Amino acid sequence: MTSIRADLDSLPAYVPGRTIPGAIKLASNEVSLPPSRAVLEAIAEAAAGGNRYPDLAVTGLTGRLSEKLGVAPERIAVGCGSVSLCQQLVQATCLRPTDEVIFAWRSFEAYPIVTQIGRATAVTVGLDGGFRHDLDAMAAAVTERTRLVFVCSPNNPTGTVVTREEMERFLAAVGPEVVVALDEAYHEYVTDPDVVDGLSLVDRHPNLVVLRTFSKAYRLAALRVGYAVGGVDVITALRKVCSPFSVSSLAQAAAIAALGDAENLLASCAEVVEERVRVRDALVAAGFTVPPTQSNFVWLALGEQAAPFAAHCLDHKVVVRPFQPDGVRVTVASRAENDTFLAAALAFSPGG
């Protein structure tokens, strides 16, 4: 008998979007454009030092983020993507199996995985009727065993958001003892001025940590680099549980270059915003239930028809991401790719 943890048999698997030759992939919320020329040049230059370990403290990138965000370097932690930072948060806050991590459901599928890996107890709170976080219900779920709360805005996979007023009320209700992680992986696509910007709240709430990533709008999904901003105590703990050298030299160089080329890279977000409105309007007009989205994807609340819809789209050479039995998430891509998806969606007959 080996000493492998028995509970790993029940560990939910992270399901990546499928890549199928000849099909349009709209399953992973990737940006279809490659990194910019400036970023590619930085990657190539960094690759020449591939025989050396990366900067353990991620000093250069932390400094650039500090300048850009107006936050002291000791309040920033860089990780191997924001998913890694989520796992580090569980490790830093939870010690016993009775320690609880609260998150909405359905939300980012990594939350239950990192919670179980961290030997903590997951407490899920259902989304409201508008596919949004029910923050009042989440606050009511907090007990003396709660160590961490994940709030995802825009929410993956529904695209819905939390307002600043809602977040401030939630933080007041939760109190300062529980760490609250505001996951803003899609922050660059937000256009609604009422949506919470976590960085505007961290100074007044030392228990709040904001997670962002270079994987989406900055086009660096393959290089795995994200960052957390929060109080010194939380950030220091995150750094202590970080796997050494987990952020590669290529990732660090690419992220620094991406920050320097941000105006160029983020210009494409406006095109996504325009397209997400067009795609949602067409789907709603066709009778689909699609909540308003502030991200680079749309959510089709198809219930048990999620898997059949995904199979139908695949027959039309479009790969989408089903979350059976709740719905389907579809990345907003180029106009031509979106048109191909819409043609497939509008040809779908439930049960047919």
Side-chain angles (χ1 to χ4, degrees), residues 161-209:
V161 290
V162 171
T163 68
R164 180 187 175 94
E165 180 182 352
E166 290 169 336
M167 193 66 192
E168 288 183 321
R169 187 172 70 245
F170 177 73
L171 289 167
V174 168
E177 300 302 318
V178 176
V179 174
V180 176
L182 179 58
D183 189 344
E184 295 184 328
Y186 299 91
H187 167 77
E188 290 80 8
Y189 296 100
V190 173
T191 57
D192 185 343
D194 293 330
V195 174
V196 64
D197 180 337
L199 294 184
S200 69
L201 300 178
V202 290
D203 287 344
R204 291 191 288 110
H205 299 277
N207 61 316
L208 175 65
V209 57

Side-chain angles (χ1 to χ4, degrees), residues 116-134:
Q116 186 170 338
I117 290 174
R119 305 297 298 262
T121 297
V123 176
T124 59
V125 177
L127 299 174
D128 67 15
F131 308 98
R132 303 176 69 245
H133 278 58
D134 187 340

Side-chain angles (χ1 to χ4, degrees), residues 209-265:
V209 57
V210 177
L211 304 178
R212 293 186 181 175
T213 184
F214 287 90
S215 294
K216 308 302 179 184
Y218 286 95
R219 311 179 197 172
L220 296 179
L223 293 184
R224 313 308 306 131
V225 56
Y227 60 96
V229 179
V232 173
D233 289 346
V234 176
I235 296 302
T236 299
L238 280 177
R239 290 178 174 179
K240 286 180 178 179
V241 298
C242 180
S243 177
F245 305 114
S246 59
V247 184
S248 73
S249 297
L250 273 65
Q252 294 183 40
I256 291 171
L259 289 174
D261 199 24
E263 183 176 356
N264 172 43
L265 287 166

Side-chain angles (χ1 to χ4, degrees), residues 3-24:
S3 57
I4 300 298
R5 287 168 48 181
D7 72 308
L8 294 183
D9 289 338
S10 62
L11 184 70
Y14 186 96
V15 181
R18 299 168 65 189
T19 299
I20 297 177
I24 298 171

Side-chain angles (χ1 to χ4, degrees), residues 46-59:
N51 57 311
R52 304 295 186 186
Y53 284 107
D55 175 11
L56 177 64
V58 199
T59 308

Side-chain angles (χ1 to χ4, degrees), residues 13-346:
Y14 186 96
V15 181
R18 299 168 65 189
T19 299
I20 297 177
I24 298 171
K25 184 183 179 185
L26 303 179
S28 295
N29 299 342
E30 298 158 325
V31 177
S32 58
L33 297 170
S36 67
R37 179 181 297 275
V39 174
L40 291 173
E41 290 174 352
I43 293 171
E45 183 176 346
N51 57 311
R52 304 295 186 186
Y53 284 107
D55 175 11
L56 177 64
V58 199
T59 308
L61 176 54
T62 301
R64 284 289 290 110
L65 284 168
S66 174
E67 294 171 4
K68 175 180 173 59
L69 304 175
V71 176
E74 59 267 25
R75 296 178 58 191
I76 300 171
V78 179
C80 183
S82 56
V83 175
S84 176
L85 290 164
C86 289
Q87 184 165 330
Q88 290 168 233
L89 278 167
V90 176
Q91 293 171 317
T93 58
C94 298
L95 180 63
R96 307 170 188 82
T98 53
D99 290 341
E100 294 178 349
V101 178
I102 297 175
F103 48 87
W105 199 251
R106 180 172 291 274
S107 192
F108 186 31
E109 61 186 312
Y111 298 155
I113 298 173
V114 298
T115 299
Q116 186 170 338
I117 290 174
R119 305 297 298 262
T121 297
V123 176
T124 59
V125 177
L127 299 174
D128 67 15
F131 308 98
R132 303 176 69 245
H133 278 58
D134 187 340
L135 289 183
D136 290 338
M138 292 178 69
V142 173
T143 70
E144 69 278 0
R145 297 182 298 276
T146 306
R147 299 292 177 266
L148 174 65
V149 181
F150 285 112
V151 176
C152 191
S153 177
N155 185 46
N156 180 7
T158 63
T160 53
V161 290
V162 171
T163 68
R164 180 187 175 94
E165 180 182 352
E166 290 169 336
M167 193 66 192
E168 288 183 321
R169 187 172 70 245
F170 177 73
L171 289 167
V174 168
E177 300 302 318
V178 176
V179 174
V180 176
L182 179 58
D183 189 344
E184 295 184 328
Y186 299 91
H187 167 77
E188 290 80 8
Y189 296 100
V190 173
T191 57
D192 185 343
D194 293 330
V195 174
V196 64
D197 180 337
L199 294 184
S200 69
L201 300 178
V202 290
D203 287 344
R204 291 191 288 110
H205 299 277
N207 61 316
L208 175 65
V209 57
V210 177
L211 304 178
R212 293 186 181 175
T213 184
F214 287 90
S215 294
K216 308 302 179 184
Y218 286 95
R219 311 179 197 172
L220 296 179
L223 293 184
R224 313 308 306 131
V225 56
Y227 60 96
V229 179
V232 173
D233 289 346
V234 176
I235 296 302
T236 299
L238 280 177
R239 290 178 174 179
K240 286 180 178 179
V241 298
C242 180
S243 177
F245 305 114
S246 59
V247 184
S248 73
S249 297
L250 273 65
Q252 294 183 40
I256 291 171
L259 289 174
D261 199 24
E263 183 176 356
N264 172 43
L265 287 166
L266 300 185
S268 63
C269 292
E271 299 171 14
V272 172
V273 169
E274 183 177 342
E275 276 295 287
R276 78 185 178 201
V277 173
R278 185 179 74 90
V279 170
R280 178 177 181 269
D281 286 350
L283 292 169
V284 171
F288 291 95
T289 298
V290 185
T293 175
Q294 286 286 302
S295 192
N296 71 334
F297 55 83
V298 293
W299 172 253
L300 286 73
L302 286 161
E304 293 289 349
Q305 291 296 311
F309 179 85
H312 165 82
C313 287
L314 186 56
D315 288 341
H316 288 72
K317 303 299 183 183
V318 178
V319 184
V320 298
R321 179 69 168 84
F323 293 85
Q324 189 73 10
D326 297 321
V328 173
R329 188 192 68 200
V330 184
T331 307
V332 174
S334 69
R335 186 178 185 89
E337 291 172 327
N338 295 334
D339 283 342
T340 301
F341 161 68
L342 287 173
L346 271 55

